[in-house]
Amino acid sequence: MSGKQNSASDAQAARALESRVWELMNAGDAKQAGMTCEKLNREFPMFAPGWHTTSHLMMRGGNPQAALAAIERALSLDPEVVTWQLQHGLCLARLGRFADLSAVVEKLASQEMQSAYQHSALALLETQLGHRETALQRYLKAIELQPDDARHYYNAACLQRSLGSLEDAERNFDAAINRNPKDFESWKIRSDLRPQTVERNHIAALEKLIDGKIEDPKGSVQIHYALAKELEDTGEWQRSFATLKAGSDARRRLMQYDVSRDLDTIAAIKESFGATTFASAQPGSDNAEAIFILGLPRTGTTLVERIIASHTDVFAAGELNNFAAQLTVMMQEKNAGKRVSRDQMVASSAQLDFRRLGEAYVDSTRPFTGNTPRFIDKMPLNFLYVGLIHLALPNAAIINVERNPMDTC
């Protein structure tokens, strides 16, 4: 406990309230948890763990800005608690503040992690910054400290897959599934890792899962897709297609997608970002480093990226979510946390401080970029923000790759 409390009874009362908040959070009663948390912070403002708990509550409630403010309050009272520093990093990552996150991770990397959770949380932050090899070693340490937790094996396997260590990845997906057979994502990724053969596959186990009636609808979709892939690999085309269709039909039942909503949004974007908006807008950032590559899947965006990135002055940063993340932060500030419709959001975004948006975007990429004069951002969904990108970064290059629609189906 940090700060001075009136008595030992105050300390005990504060801890009891904090424990109650966690009970309510874990029971899914967000409203009562919030009311209890408010009481905790109001009655015991110098009780630093209460602000840490508040940060978790705010993060679970989808308010990372409030979560960040709460954990910074906790750290102002006791700055050396590693778990709170990790929570600080998680809040910064959620807000896309990667430059600030980099400084937090650098400090954390110099400290000794005491638990599997701490190793795992720091590994997640390092992954966010692209430090995959270091993150992998931390997940392996988490496995060593907590060998019964399937999540550590899953996380290690995902990194091993991204690093090309496919055999190691398969072993860790095996371990994750052995410890948690309902880790359906691990089943799916494991099936995708390599071509399955008649001699070596998971078809029987996948069929047994399906026959056992999977209760999780999303998990059922994953298992159907995994089985369809393995049946295709082993030449059982008709069974593969039937399984794929069953999985796709189940997935469609889970979706509430309506194409008309997307068409309405595109119309709102066209209306909000017309010639008048561009003519009257305040100037954006002068930065000219970014090269945005846009295009539907299968149009050749990766080929274009590789051609341009072969130049020594260009770094391929991959599909960055940074622009959308910075836009979201500014929109939350502008709307003061109020829920607004999608069309209202589009119209409101045309009134932002574009220079600030452009500079915030570039700053957020700094852990990945800055070592070459130019960098490529190949996030496909940036097409939704192309007007904003041009206003925020008028000197950025924007490349839209088009291909015959039949070739992109």
Side-chain angles (χ1 to χ4, degrees), residues 155-227:
N155 290 328
C158 287
L159 277 177
Q160 287 165 331
R161 179 183 62 156
S162 73
L163 292 167
S165 301
L166 300 186
E167 292 183 2
D168 291 336
E170 184 163 3
R171 279 193 292 270
N172 275 318
F173 280 126
D174 287 342
I177 292 166
N178 287 337
R179 286 159 178 79
N180 179 16
K182 293 183 179 181
D183 181 1
F184 302 117
E185 183 74 13
S186 286
W187 285 88
K188 173 65 170 63
I189 299 175
R190 184 179 67 174
S191 293
D192 289 336
L193 274 180
R194 60 173 173 82
Q196 306 296 317
T197 64
V198 173
E199 297 78 20
R200 185 178 170 218
N201 61 68
H202 314 96
I203 292 174
L206 289 162
E207 289 177 329
K208 184 177 179 180
L209 271 178
I210 293 173
D211 291 342
K213 307 298 182 187
I214 301 167
E215 294 181 2
D216 177 5
K218 293 182 180 178
S220 179
V221 172
Q222 296 277 49
I223 296 303
H224 276 84
Y225 283 173
L227 178 57

Side-chain angles (χ1 to χ4, degrees), residues 51-240:
W51 295 105
H52 169 247
T53 299
T54 302
S55 180
H56 278 275
L57 179 63
M58 293 297 102
M59 190 71 94
R60 290 192 188 190
N63 191 343
Q65 196 68 53
L68 177 64
I71 196 62
E72 287 180 343
R73 181 74 178 270
L75 288 169
S76 72
L77 295 168
D78 194 343
E80 299 306 319
V81 180
V82 170
T83 301
W84 301 353
Q85 294 174 33
L86 288 165
Q87 176 67 8
H88 187 211
L90 292 169
C91 292
L92 292 170
R94 182 79 171 270
L95 290 165
R97 290 174 51 178
F98 295 108
D100 294 330
L101 174 61
S102 184
V104 171
V105 168
E106 184 177 355
K107 179 180 179 180
L108 282 164
S110 67
Q111 302 184 58
E112 186 175 349
M113 300 294 107
Q114 299 293 333
S115 67
Y117 166 77
Q118 291 181 350
H119 279 285
S120 181
L122 182 51
L124 174 61
L125 297 177
E126 288 174 328
T127 303
Q128 296 272 338
L129 296 174
H131 306 161
R132 294 180 296 171
E133 292 86 354
T134 306
L136 174 57
Q137 295 308 310
R138 294 198 183 279
Y139 280 132
L140 294 176
K141 183 64 177 178
I143 289 172
E144 181 182 323
L145 293 171
Q146 199 174 21
D148 292 331
D149 194 323
R151 294 171 297 178
H152 303 320
Y153 295 92
Y154 170 84
N155 290 328
C158 287
L159 277 177
Q160 287 165 331
R161 179 183 62 156
S162 73
L163 292 167
S165 301
L166 300 186
E167 292 183 2
D168 291 336
E170 184 163 3
R171 279 193 292 270
N172 275 318
F173 280 126
D174 287 342
I177 292 166
N178 287 337
R179 286 159 178 79
N180 179 16
K182 293 183 179 181
D183 181 1
F184 302 117
E185 183 74 13
S186 286
W187 285 88
K188 173 65 170 63
I189 299 175
R190 184 179 67 174
S191 293
D192 289 336
L193 274 180
R194 60 173 173 82
Q196 306 296 317
T197 64
V198 173
E199 297 78 20
R200 185 178 170 218
N201 61 68
H202 314 96
I203 292 174
L206 289 162
E207 289 177 329
K208 184 177 179 180
L209 271 178
I210 293 173
D211 291 342
K213 307 298 182 187
I214 301 167
E215 294 181 2
D216 177 5
K218 293 182 180 178
S220 179
V221 172
Q222 296 277 49
I223 296 303
H224 276 84
Y225 283 173
L227 178 57
K229 192 268 184 187
E230 298 209 9
L231 289 169
E232 180 181 2
D233 284 350
T234 54
E236 296 191 54
W237 320 116
Q238 291 188 348
R239 287 184 64 206
S240 174

